[in-house]
Amino acid sequence: MKRMAGILILGMLLSGCSYTYSHDDGYRMAVINEGFPVPKNAYEVRPEDCTTEIAKSAKYKMKNIGDEEGTPSDDYLHEIEKWGWEEIEEARVGNVHYFKKNKKIISLIIQRDIFDVFEMSDEVKL
């Protein structure tokens, strides 16, 4: 009986952690910058190493966060703007988006089921 209960609990835990993007689930602060939103159910994984251009980095897994070309949903872009970030559209390169708030620049790189958030160093000017 204990074995059956253990298997049942494990199955519920695994099935409940799908981490699929949905605007309705809400947003939370990114681990690298309290003022930048990430989907609430995004699963944090090991980030990329920082460089002279990147002060802090975070990497998240989430199904359907972007389309095949790496374009984030309009809902997510709108949420980023609601948090006070302005996209620097002339700096966008493919699926790399840049946002500015006060003197901070955040780079958001979207892929189909994974995304990176980088806080750029103060030396980077866009």
Side-chain angles (χ1 to χ4, degrees), residues 103-126:
K103 295 181 180 182
K104 290 292 180 192
I105 296 175
I106 296 286
S107 172
L108 176 67
I109 301 175
I110 299 280
Q111 297 174 17
R112 182 155 181 77
D113 294 328
I114 199 159
F115 65 103
D116 293 279
V117 180
F118 299 110
E119 184 174 301
M120 308 308 288
S121 70
D122 293 335
E123 297 172 13
V124 173
K125 305 290 183 223
L126 297 176

PDB file of all heavy atoms in Angstrom, residues 103-126:
ATOM      1  N   LYS A 103      18.834  53.282 -15.748  1.00  0.00           N
ATOM      2  CA  LYS A 103      20.138  53.133 -16.403  1.00  0.00           C
ATOM      3  C   LYS A 103      20.491  51.672 -16.649  1.00  0.00           C
ATOM      4  O   LYS A 103      21.612  51.367 -17.055  1.00  0.00           O
ATOM      5  CB  LYS A 103      21.224  53.800 -15.568  1.00  0.00           C
ATOM      6  CG  LYS A 103      21.048  55.302 -15.483  1.00  0.00           C
ATOM      7  CD  LYS A 103      22.142  55.939 -14.680  1.00  0.00           C
ATOM      8  CE  LYS A 103      21.917  57.440 -14.632  1.00  0.00           C
ATOM      9  NZ  LYS A 103      22.976  58.124 -13.913  1.00  0.00           N
ATOM     10  N   LYS A 104      19.550  50.761 -16.434  1.00  0.00           N
ATOM     11  CA  LYS A 104      19.808  49.325 -16.605  1.00  0.00           C
ATOM     12  C   LYS A 104      19.324  48.861 -17.977  1.00  0.00           C
ATOM     13  O   LYS A 104      18.290  49.316 -18.475  1.00  0.00           O
ATOM     14  CB  LYS A 104      19.089  48.501 -15.538  1.00  0.00           C
ATOM     15  CG  LYS A 104      19.658  48.670 -14.154  1.00  0.00           C
ATOM     16  CD  LYS A 104      21.040  48.072 -14.076  1.00  0.00           C
ATOM     17  CE  LYS A 104      21.636  48.223 -12.697  1.00  0.00           C
ATOM     18  NZ  LYS A 104      23.042  47.925 -12.667  1.00  0.00           N
ATOM     19  N   ILE A 105      20.075  47.938 -18.559  1.00  0.00           N
ATOM     20  CA  ILE A 105      19.693  47.311 -19.829  1.00  0.00           C
ATOM     21  C   ILE A 105      19.605  45.804 -19.594  1.00  0.00           C
ATOM     22  O   ILE A 105      20.536  45.207 -19.046  1.00  0.00           O
ATOM     23  CB  ILE A 105      20.699  47.625 -20.948  1.00  0.00           C
ATOM     24  CG1 ILE A 105      20.713  49.129 -21.237  1.00  0.00           C
ATOM     25  CG2 ILE A 105      20.355  46.827 -22.215  1.00  0.00           C
ATOM     26  CD1 ILE A 105      21.758  49.560 -22.241  1.00  0.00           C
ATOM     27  N   ILE A 106      18.489  45.247 -19.997  1.00  0.00           N
ATOM     28  CA  ILE A 106      18.259  43.806 -19.901  1.00  0.00           C
ATOM     29  C   ILE A 106      18.169  43.245 -21.309  1.00  0.00           C
ATOM     30  O   ILE A 106      17.501  43.816 -22.179  1.00  0.00           O
ATOM     31  CB  ILE A 106      16.949  43.491 -19.147  1.00  0.00           C
ATOM     32  CG1 ILE A 106      17.016  43.955 -17.692  1.00  0.00           C
ATOM     33  CG2 ILE A 106      16.599  42.007 -19.242  1.00  0.00           C
ATOM     34  CD1 ILE A 106      17.872  43.113 -16.781  1.00  0.00           C
ATOM     35  N   SER A 107      18.834  42.134 -21.533  1.00  0.00           N
ATOM     36  CA  SER A 107      18.736  41.413 -22.804  1.00  0.00           C
ATOM     37  C   SER A 107      17.896  40.170 -22.560  1.00  0.00           C
ATOM     38  O   SER A 107      18.142  39.421 -21.608  1.00  0.00           O
ATOM     39  CB  SER A 107      20.134  41.027 -23.280  1.00  0.00           C
ATOM     40  OG  SER A 107      20.052  40.174 -24.397  1.00  0.00           O
ATOM     41  N   LEU A 108      16.920  39.948 -23.420  1.00  0.00           N
ATOM     42  CA  LEU A 108      16.038  38.783 -23.331  1.00  0.00           C
ATOM     43  C   LEU A 108      16.206  37.979 -24.610  1.00  0.00           C
ATOM     44  O   LEU A 108      15.972  38.490 -25.706  1.00  0.00           O
ATOM     45  CB  LEU A 108      14.585  39.238 -23.179  1.00  0.00           C
ATOM     46  CG  LEU A 108      13.513  38.169 -23.170  1.00  0.00           C
ATOM     47  CD1 LEU A 108      13.633  37.292 -21.919  1.00  0.00           C
ATOM     48  CD2 LEU A 108      12.126  38.809 -23.215  1.00  0.00           C
ATOM     49  N   ILE A 109      16.670  36.745 -24.450  1.00  0.00           N
ATOM     50  CA  ILE A 109      16.863  35.871 -25.611  1.00  0.00           C
ATOM     51  C   ILE A 109      15.873  34.724 -25.494  1.00  0.00           C
ATOM     52  O   ILE A 109      15.932  33.927 -24.561  1.00  0.00           O
ATOM     53  CB  ILE A 109      18.307  35.328 -25.679  1.00  0.00           C
ATOM     54  CG1 ILE A 109      19.288  36.503 -25.753  1.00  0.00           C
ATOM     55  CG2 ILE A 109      18.464  34.393 -26.880  1.00  0.00           C
ATOM     56  CD1 ILE A 109      20.740  36.098 -25.708  1.00  0.00           C
ATOM     57  N   ILE A 110      14.947  34.689 -26.441  1.00  0.00           N
ATOM     58  CA  ILE A 110      13.857  33.715 -26.420  1.00  0.00           C
ATOM     59  C   ILE A 110      14.127  32.614 -27.436  1.00  0.00           C
ATOM     60  O   ILE A 110      14.491  32.893 -28.575  1.00  0.00           O
ATOM     61  CB  ILE A 110      12.514  34.389 -26.780  1.00  0.00           C
ATOM     62  CG1 ILE A 110      12.161  35.483 -25.775  1.00  0.00           C
ATOM     63  CG2 ILE A 110      11.403  33.385 -26.925  1.00  0.00           C
ATOM     64  CD1 ILE A 110      11.564  35.012 -24.496  1.00  0.00           C
ATOM     65  N   GLN A 111      13.944  31.393 -27.011  1.00  0.00           N
ATOM     66  CA  GLN A 111      13.906  30.247 -27.906  1.00  0.00           C
ATOM     67  C   GLN A 111      12.573  29.565 -27.660  1.00  0.00           C
ATOM     68  O   GLN A 111      11.795  30.027 -26.837  1.00  0.00           O
ATOM     69  CB  GLN A 111      15.091  29.334 -27.641  1.00  0.00           C
ATOM     70  CG  GLN A 111      16.411  30.024 -27.918  1.00  0.00           C
ATOM     71  CD  GLN A 111      17.600  29.184 -27.516  1.00  0.00           C
ATOM     72  OE1 GLN A 111      17.503  27.995 -27.316  1.00  0.00           O
ATOM     73  NE2 GLN A 111      18.742  29.827 -27.381  1.00  0.00           N
ATOM     74  N   ARG A 112      12.282  28.495 -28.348  1.00  0.00           N
ATOM     75  CA  ARG A 112      10.963  27.882 -28.237  1.00  0.00           C
ATOM     76  C   ARG A 112      10.603  27.507 -26.796  1.00  0.00           C
ATOM     77  O   ARG A 112       9.555  27.863 -26.309  1.00  0.00           O
ATOM     78  CB  ARG A 112      10.851  26.662 -29.140  1.00  0.00           C
ATOM     79  CG  ARG A 112       9.466  26.040 -29.084  1.00  0.00           C
ATOM     80  CD  ARG A 112       9.147  25.271 -30.342  1.00  0.00           C
ATOM     81  NE  ARG A 112       7.831  24.711 -30.290  1.00  0.00           N
ATOM     82  CZ  ARG A 112       6.713  25.379 -30.486  1.00  0.00           C
ATOM     83  NH1 ARG A 112       6.766  26.662 -30.731  1.00  0.00           N
ATOM     84  NH2 ARG A 112       5.553  24.792 -30.441  1.00  0.00           N
ATOM     85  N   ASP A 113      11.446  26.794 -26.085  1.00  0.00           N
ATOM     86  CA  ASP A 113      11.109  26.313 -24.748  1.00  0.00           C
ATOM     87  C   ASP A 113      12.119  26.739 -23.681  1.00  0.00           C
ATOM     88  O   ASP A 113      12.168  26.161 -22.602  1.00  0.00           O
ATOM     89  CB  ASP A 113      11.001  24.777 -24.748  1.00  0.00           C
ATOM     90  CG  ASP A 113       9.840  24.284 -25.595  1.00  0.00           C
ATOM     91  OD1 ASP A 113       8.817  24.985 -25.682  1.00  0.00           O
ATOM     92  OD2 ASP A 113       9.960  23.187 -26.173  1.00  0.00           O
ATOM     93  N   ILE A 114      12.918  27.741 -23.989  1.00  0.00           N
ATOM     94  CA  ILE A 114      13.923  28.202 -23.033  1.00  0.00           C
ATOM     95  C   ILE A 114      14.182  29.684 -23.287  1.00  0.00           C
ATOM     96  O   ILE A 114      14.034  30.159 -24.408  1.00  0.00           O
ATOM     97  CB  ILE A 114      15.218  27.361 -23.160  1.00  0.00           C
ATOM     98  CG1 ILE A 114      16.073  27.495 -21.927  1.00  0.00           C
ATOM     99  CG2 ILE A 114      15.977  27.700 -24.405  1.00  0.00           C
ATOM    100  CD1 ILE A 114      17.061  26.363 -21.745  1.00  0.00           C
ATOM    101  N   PHE A 115      14.519  30.412 -22.225  1.00  0.00           N
ATOM    102  CA  PHE A 115      14.866  31.816 -22.436  1.00  0.00           C
ATOM    103  C   PHE A 115      15.920  32.255 -21.431  1.00  0.00           C
ATOM    104  O   PHE A 115      16.023  31.722 -20.337  1.00  0.00           O
ATOM    105  CB  PHE A 115      13.631  32.723 -22.403  1.00  0.00           C
ATOM    106  CG  PHE A 115      12.900  32.797 -21.089  1.00  0.00           C
ATOM    107  CD1 PHE A 115      13.039  33.901 -20.264  1.00  0.00           C
ATOM    108  CD2 PHE A 115      12.039  31.780 -20.689  1.00  0.00           C
ATOM    109  CE1 PHE A 115      12.350  33.979 -19.064  1.00  0.00           C
ATOM    110  CE2 PHE A 115      11.340  31.856 -19.500  1.00  0.00           C
ATOM    111  CZ  PHE A 115      11.503  32.963 -18.674  1.00  0.00           C
ATOM    112  N   ASP A 116      16.725  33.211 -21.865  1.00  0.00           N
ATOM    113  CA  ASP A 116      17.796  33.776 -21.051  1.00  0.00           C
ATOM    114  C   ASP A 116      17.487  35.234 -20.768  1.00  0.00           C
ATOM    115  O   ASP A 116      16.990  35.953 -21.639  1.00  0.00           O
ATOM    116  CB  ASP A 116      19.134  33.710 -21.797  1.00  0.00           C
ATOM    117  CG  ASP A 116      19.614  32.296 -22.009  1.00  0.00           C
ATOM    118  OD1 ASP A 116      20.178  31.731 -21.059  1.00  0.00           O
ATOM    119  OD2 ASP A 116      19.422  31.763 -23.114  1.00  0.00           O
ATOM    120  N   VAL A 117      17.800  35.662 -19.553  1.00  0.00           N
ATOM    121  CA  VAL A 117      17.676  37.058 -19.162  1.00  0.00           C
ATOM    122  C   VAL A 117      19.063  37.498 -18.703  1.00  0.00           C
ATOM    123  O   VAL A 117      19.646  36.878 -17.817  1.00  0.00           O
ATOM    124  CB  VAL A 117      16.650  37.230 -18.011  1.00  0.00           C
ATOM    125  CG1 VAL A 117      16.537  38.689 -17.615  1.00  0.00           C
ATOM    126  CG2 VAL A 117      15.290  36.666 -18.407  1.00  0.00           C
ATOM    127  N   PHE A 118      19.581  38.527 -19.353  1.00  0.00           N
ATOM    128  CA  PHE A 118      20.906  39.045 -19.018  1.00  0.00           C
ATOM    129  C   PHE A 118      20.785  40.491 -18.582  1.00  0.00           C
ATOM    130  O   PHE A 118      20.143  41.286 -19.267  1.00  0.00           O
ATOM    131  CB  PHE A 118      21.848  38.994 -20.227  1.00  0.00           C
ATOM    132  CG  PHE A 118      22.089  37.622 -20.767  1.00  0.00           C
ATOM    133  CD1 PHE A 118      21.572  37.250 -21.998  1.00  0.00           C
ATOM    134  CD2 PHE A 118      22.840  36.693 -20.061  1.00  0.00           C
ATOM    135  CE1 PHE A 118      21.798  35.981 -22.521  1.00  0.00           C
ATOM    136  CE2 PHE A 118      23.079  35.430 -20.568  1.00  0.00           C
ATOM    137  CZ  PHE A 118      22.556  35.069 -21.801  1.00  0.00           C
ATOM    138  N   GLU A 119      21.399  40.830 -17.465  1.00  0.00           N
ATOM    139  CA  GLU A 119      21.541  42.232 -17.100  1.00  0.00           C
ATOM    140  C   GLU A 119      22.899  42.655 -17.633  1.00  0.00           C
ATOM    141  O   GLU A 119      23.934  42.094 -17.258  1.00  0.00           O
ATOM    142  CB  GLU A 119      21.468  42.432 -15.590  1.00  0.00           C
ATOM    143  CG  GLU A 119      21.523  43.899 -15.211  1.00  0.00           C
ATOM    144  CD  GLU A 119      21.304  44.121 -13.733  1.00  0.00           C
ATOM    145  OE1 GLU A 119      20.240  43.729 -13.216  1.00  0.00           O
ATOM    146  OE2 GLU A 119      22.218  44.694 -13.096  1.00  0.00           O
ATOM    147  N   MET A 120      22.882  43.605 -18.533  1.00  0.00           N
ATOM    148  CA  MET A 120      24.104  44.029 -19.193  1.00  0.00           C
ATOM    149  C   MET A 120      24.942  44.900 -18.235  1.00  0.00           C
ATOM    150  O   MET A 120      24.393  45.587 -17.370  1.00  0.00           O
ATOM    151  CB  MET A 120      23.779  44.807 -20.472  1.00  0.00           C
ATOM    152  CG  MET A 120      22.818  44.081 -21.420  1.00  0.00           C
ATOM    153  SD  MET A 120      23.298  42.389 -21.837  1.00  0.00           S
ATOM    154  CE  MET A 120      24.670  42.689 -22.914  1.00  0.00           C
ATOM    155  N   SER A 121      26.256  44.850 -18.402  1.00  0.00           N
ATOM    156  CA  SER A 121      27.130  45.670 -17.559  1.00  0.00           C
ATOM    157  C   SER A 121      26.939  47.132 -17.925  1.00  0.00           C
ATOM    158  O   SER A 121      26.437  47.482 -18.989  1.00  0.00           O
ATOM    159  CB  SER A 121      28.589  45.248 -17.736  1.00  0.00           C
ATOM    160  OG  SER A 121      29.063  45.625 -19.014  1.00  0.00           O
ATOM    161  N   ASP A 122      27.367  48.006 -17.030  1.00  0.00           N
ATOM    162  CA  ASP A 122      27.209  49.441 -17.254  1.00  0.00           C
ATOM    163  C   ASP A 122      28.033  49.934 -18.432  1.00  0.00           C
ATOM    164  O   ASP A 122      27.789  51.011 -18.951  1.00  0.00           O
ATOM    165  CB  ASP A 122      27.609  50.219 -15.983  1.00  0.00           C
ATOM    166  CG  ASP A 122      26.628  49.951 -14.836  1.00  0.00           C
ATOM    167  OD1 ASP A 122      25.463  49.597 -15.116  1.00  0.00           O
ATOM    168  OD2 ASP A 122      27.037  50.102 -13.677  1.00  0.00           O
ATOM    169  N   GLU A 123      28.989  49.134 -18.869  1.00  0.00           N
ATOM    170  CA  GLU A 123      29.843  49.527 -20.004  1.00  0.00           C
ATOM    171  C   GLU A 123      29.102  49.434 -21.337  1.00  0.00           C
ATOM    172  O   GLU A 123      29.489  50.072 -22.304  1.00  0.00           O
ATOM    173  CB  GLU A 123      31.068  48.615 -20.057  1.00  0.00           C
ATOM    174  CG  GLU A 123      31.948  48.730 -18.834  1.00  0.00           C
ATOM    175  CD  GLU A 123      33.049  47.683 -18.814  1.00  0.00           C
ATOM    176  OE1 GLU A 123      33.291  47.014 -19.844  1.00  0.00           O
ATOM    177  OE2 GLU A 123      33.675  47.538 -17.756  1.00  0.00           O
ATOM    178  N   VAL A 124      28.036  48.634 -21.410  1.00  0.00           N
ATOM    179  CA  VAL A 124      27.303  48.436 -22.653  1.00  0.00           C
ATOM    180  C   VAL A 124      26.383  49.624 -22.901  1.00  0.00           C
ATOM    181  O   VAL A 124      25.579  50.000 -22.054  1.00  0.00           O
ATOM    182  CB  VAL A 124      26.489  47.122 -22.614  1.00  0.00           C
ATOM    183  CG1 VAL A 124      25.591  46.995 -23.821  1.00  0.00           C
ATOM    184  CG2 VAL A 124      27.422  45.935 -22.493  1.00  0.00           C
ATOM    185  N   LYS A 125      26.509  50.205 -24.057  1.00  0.00           N
ATOM    186  CA  LYS A 125      25.658  51.319 -24.481  1.00  0.00           C
ATOM    187  C   LYS A 125      24.978  50.923 -25.781  1.00  0.00           C
ATOM    188  O   LYS A 125      25.635  50.517 -26.731  1.00  0.00           O
ATOM    189  CB  LYS A 125      26.484  52.597 -24.707  1.00  0.00           C
ATOM    190  CG  LYS A 125      27.315  53.015 -23.513  1.00  0.00           C
ATOM    191  CD  LYS A 125      26.485  53.526 -22.377  1.00  0.00           C
ATOM    192  CE  LYS A 125      27.386  53.984 -21.240  1.00  0.00           C
ATOM    193  NZ  LYS A 125      26.939  53.581 -19.946  1.00  0.00           N
ATOM    194  N   LEU A 126      23.670  51.019 -25.807  1.00  0.00           N
ATOM    195  CA  LEU A 126      22.922  50.679 -27.033  1.00  0.00           C
ATOM    196  C   LEU A 126      22.250  51.896 -27.607  1.00  0.00           C
ATOM    197  O   LEU A 126      21.900  52.805 -26.966  1.00  0.00           O
ATOM    198  CB  LEU A 126      21.869  49.617 -26.743  1.00  0.00           C
ATOM    199  CG  LEU A 126      22.403  48.260 -26.267  1.00  0.00           C
ATOM    200  CD1 LEU A 126      21.265  47.341 -25.922  1.00  0.00           C
ATOM    201  CD2 LEU A 126      23.270  47.636 -27.329  1.00  0.00           C
TER     202      LEU A 126
END
